[in-house]
Structures are given as structure tokens and as C-alpha cells.
Amino acid sequence: MNKPTILVVEDDYAVRNLISTTLKTHDYKFITAMNGETAILEAVSHNPDIILLDLGLPDIDGIQLIKKIRSWSMTPIIVISARSEDTDKIDALDAGADDYLTKPFSVEELLARLRVTFRRLNYVQNAEKEMNSIFINGELKIDYAAGCAYINDKELHLTPIEYKLLCLLSKNVGKVLTHTFITKEIWGNYVENDVASLRVFMATLRKKIEKDTSMPQYIQTHVGVGYRMIKL
Ligand code: CA
């Protein structure tokens, strides 16, 4: 994650200043809001990565604000409040806050909480990215980001055309793709004899991914139409 933005919502000038100075010294990007109304506007327009939220705001109750933000955003919220009662803490967490700091807090504690939250955020984002970039079908695995394909975790040595073909079929798993569609996607245009080349590339690809090429498990031929990757 590059240069995350933190939204600081705090009506107390001294505390806001302390947090701002701390964030500035530690090279964090931040925006500030002095009340709930501004906080909502800033959250909508800047889509911050973390929200540091004081519960006691002049216009909107902090718990209500958390609920409002949670109705459209999953941005981590760290509550900062002078209220030290456990019920407020529980209410804030129940409303959707992720963490809680009680005033007075030390700058070190604030930084530690931010690091923990960023670590969690990074982890979730990476997991999401990985999920979208890895295709798994039976023993076949394609890592789109790395540009590698595997059968049973053994890397396949595919030519660029074979790899493109495999990706095209996997991204359309379950659908029959016509010869015209495939050749256009792979070679950019359609020429009559491309179907013959396609057949050749399909045969070499199958040799690499199918256990028995006479009974293909992954790529089905639809005679006169095209090919389809079967969802196993
Ligand atoms: Ca306050």
C-alpha cells in the first residue's frame, strides 16, 4: 500500500494538533475534521484508509457516526475517546469500530495501533488480490499475476501462445468459445487457416495439461464450433 491516508476526526484542538504532528513526523498522509458532518464529507470524498475518531463530537454522537460510516464503508475505524467506561468501548466496537484508544494516550501507543491496523489492512488487501489472481480448477492452477500455470503444483512449460490460450479458456470456464472468438483474441484478427494453427496449439497444450489427450478432462472440443474449459 503506498502512502495511506488517515482521516482524523477530533474537535479538541490540542488533541487534533498532537495527532496531526505525530502523523506528519511519521510521514503519514492525513486529513482532519472538527465535527461529524465534516467527517462524513471527508470520508466520502477522500475515501481514507483509516479513520481515527473521537467519540465526543459537538454535532453527531460518535457511535451514530460509526454506524453511518459502516452503512457504506469498511474503512478501519480506531476510536479515540476520553470516556473510559467499558460500555462506550463496547458500544463503539459493536457499532463497527475496529480498535479503541482511551485518552490520555501516548504517541507511541497511537503509532502502534496504526501499525497493527495497517498490517491487518494490508493482509486483507493482499489476500483479496491473490484470490483474484489465482485460478484453480481440479489439478490445474494458473497464477495470472506471475504468468505461470501448474498441474499438481508442478510448473508447466508453456509457449506464450499456449499460455494465452489456457488463460482465455480459464477466464471463460464453462463457456464454449468459438474458433473465431479464440483466434481473434489470440492473434488479433481472423484468418481462415488460423483454425488449423489453433488446432495445432490446442494439441500441444493438451499434451501438457491432460493426463490422456484422447479423453481430455479440461478442454472439451465442440466439433465445428470451438472449445470449452470444463469446470471440474
Ligand atoms: Ca471531543
Side-chain angles (χ1 to χ4, degrees):
M1 203 194 303
N2 44 10
K3 280 266 179 183
T5 305
I6 300 164
L7 170 59
V8 182
V9 189
E10 170 64 80
D11 61 320
D12 185 320
Y13 174 77
V15 181
R16 197 170 64 241
N17 201 34
L18 169 73
I19 298 174
S20 305
T21 312
T22 306
L23 295 179
K24 211 181 285 169
T25 0
H26 288 83
D27 213 25
Y28 282 116
K29 246 170 68 186
F30 65 93
I31 34 180
T32 57
M34 287 177 276
N35 55 52
E37 211 58 63
T38 321
I40 291 173
L41 285 176
E42 296 289 8
V44 170
S45 56
H46 288 94
N47 192 23
D49 299 285
I50 291 186
I51 300 173
L52 282 175
L53 175 68
D54 172 31
L55 278 190
L57 293 170
D59 54 345
I60 305 174
D61 176 64
I63 304 286
Q64 292 310 315
L65 189 57
I66 296 172
K67 287 183 182 159
K68 230 173 223 173
I69 294 171
R70 275 293 168 264
S71 67
W72 89 88
S73 158
M74 284 313 288
T75 304
I77 300 173
I78 303 174
V79 158
I80 300 178
S81 174
R83 308 181 202 172
S84 53
E85 289 89 351
D86 265 354
T87 50
D88 289 324
K89 185 175 174 175
I90 291 163
D91 284 349
L93 294 172
D94 277 345
D98 297 82
D99 204 351
Y100 197 99
L101 265 174
T102 306
K103 287 180 195 170
F105 55 87
S106 72
V107 162
E108 283 71 28
E109 191 180 0
L110 168 67
L111 290 168
R113 296 296 170 95
L114 283 175
R115 281 196 301 272
V116 168
T117 309
F118 276 121
R119 215 157 44 221
R120 208 180 297 148
L121 201 59
N122 256 326
Y123 178 78
V124 171
Q125 286 176 345
N126 287 341
E128 274 172 5
K129 236 187 260 163
E130 204 161 282
M131 251 171 62
N132 292 332
S133 76
I134 299 219
F135 171 86
I136 293 176
N137 190 16
E139 288 168 352
L140 172 69
K141 183 170 101 184
I142 307 171
D143 183 340
Y144 296 127
C148 300
Y150 308 82
I151 286 279
N152 258 334
D153 287 325
K154 230 183 123 227
E155 194 179 342
L156 299 170
H157 298 285
L158 303 176
T159 66
I161 298 272
E162 288 165 357
Y163 179 72
K164 261 174 111 176
L165 254 179
L166 185 64
C167 289
L168 182 63
L169 288 160
S170 68
K171 284 179 177 167
N172 294 283
V173 64
K175 288 187 217 154
V176 178
L177 304 181
T178 63
H179 295 131
T180 318
F181 177 80
I182 299 173
T183 50
K184 265 189 187 154
E185 288 291 315
I186 304 290
W187 287 284
N189 58 348
Y190 177 74
V191 187
E192 199 53 47
N193 68 359
D194 279 349
V195 176
S197 332
L198 178 59
R199 208 164 288 142
V200 174
F201 283 111
M202 200 58 86
T204 59
L205 174 62
R206 273 178 168 154
K207 254 184 222 150
K208 295 176 185 178
I209 67 167
E210 303 284 3
K211 275 193 193 113
D212 178 358
T213 50
S214 65
M215 284 176 66
Q217 197 186 356
Y218 292 102
I219 303 170
Q220 200 178 50
T221 302
H222 286 250
V223 180
V225 183
Y227 298 93
R228 164 162 70 166
M229 180 175 283
I230 305 291
K231 178 95 193 86
L232 295 181

